[in-house]
Amino acid sequence: EGILAVTLPAFGTSEHTRRNAHRLAGAAGAELREIDIRAACEQHIGDIGLDPDDRESVTFQNLQARERTQVLMDLANKEGGIVVGTGDLSELALGFATFAGDHIAMYNVNASVPKTLVRRLVRWVAEHHARDAERDVLLEVLDTPVSPELVPPGSDGAIAQRTEEIVGPSELTDFFLFCLLRLGAGPAKMLFLARRAFGARYEEPTLRRWLRVFIERFFDNQFKRSVMPDGPKVGSVSLSPRGDWRMPSDASGAAWLRALDEEGSE
């Protein structure tokens, strides 16, 4: 009764995920409101002079996330509620969130829960706690590719933008994050451990590629973590600047990238 669920379809929203949003809210007994943001985004596209045919740029993608946040924040003011963040620890580490968009909430409940664990928790709830209707939709959500859905679907209506194709497989990025936060490992040790943990599934160039992406994104996106919303610390680590993680926003990852390039090159 205390939950107001809001779905905000835009240019990249697939019918599959839109339908699941309605199914999940219905199964949970929560009130659901659908607010289509495409007209507001089109207005903004015209206001800032973005090419109206642009359907891929960072500007095009981010303006949708920021429009959603504006709607949610204002709706929270109107209803006397708070906006619950949708991000997780993995997205904070990689900076895979729109600054002042889905990066912002009034409380970020999953701020210290990595994406692989989010999926495990959702599956546990589906299999051990949810009623039939909830279980069915939660399992269908888990079978859906992880995506911000900010670029239009393909001609067949399928999701065209897949998170793991952009930032790497979640099992790898969360492993690198574990090595960094829990073990204090540098690039050489991270690669050493990844070879032994994933060598049977990923070739060496693939491990190096995604470790490089991880390092680049982790250093480049500290500015987002420096102003992240409050959230609980779950487990033993956090990236909150008010708790576990203190890092200057202009820190450079150049030395780490050199170390990665030098590892195994001799």
Side-chain angles (χ1 to χ4, degrees), residues 76-92:
N77 291 156
K78 177 177 178 291
E79 299 295 336
I82 63 172
V83 177
V84 178
T86 57
D88 55 45
L89 180 64
S90 305
E91 292 172 351
L92 289 169

Side-chain angles (χ1 to χ4, degrees), residues 96-107:
F96 202 66
T98 296
F99 189 76
D102 55 307
H103 157 256
I104 292 295
M106 293 165 177
Y107 196 67

Side-chain angles (χ1 to χ4, degrees), residues 124-138:
W124 187 92
V125 170
E127 294 176 348
H128 299 283
H129 182 71
R131 293 163 293 193
D132 289 347
E134 289 177 299
R135 181 182 64 250
D136 292 344
V137 68
L138 286 175

Side-chain angles (χ1 to χ4, degrees), residues 24 29 69 72 79 92 95 97-98 115 128 145 150 211 217-218 225 250 259 261 264:
L24 184 57
T69 296
L72 291 173
E79 299 295 336
L92 289 169
T98 296
K115 190 171 295 293
H128 299 283
L150 294 175
L211 178 53
R217 296 192 67 100
F218 188 84
R225 297 189 291 270
D250 59 351
D261 292 337

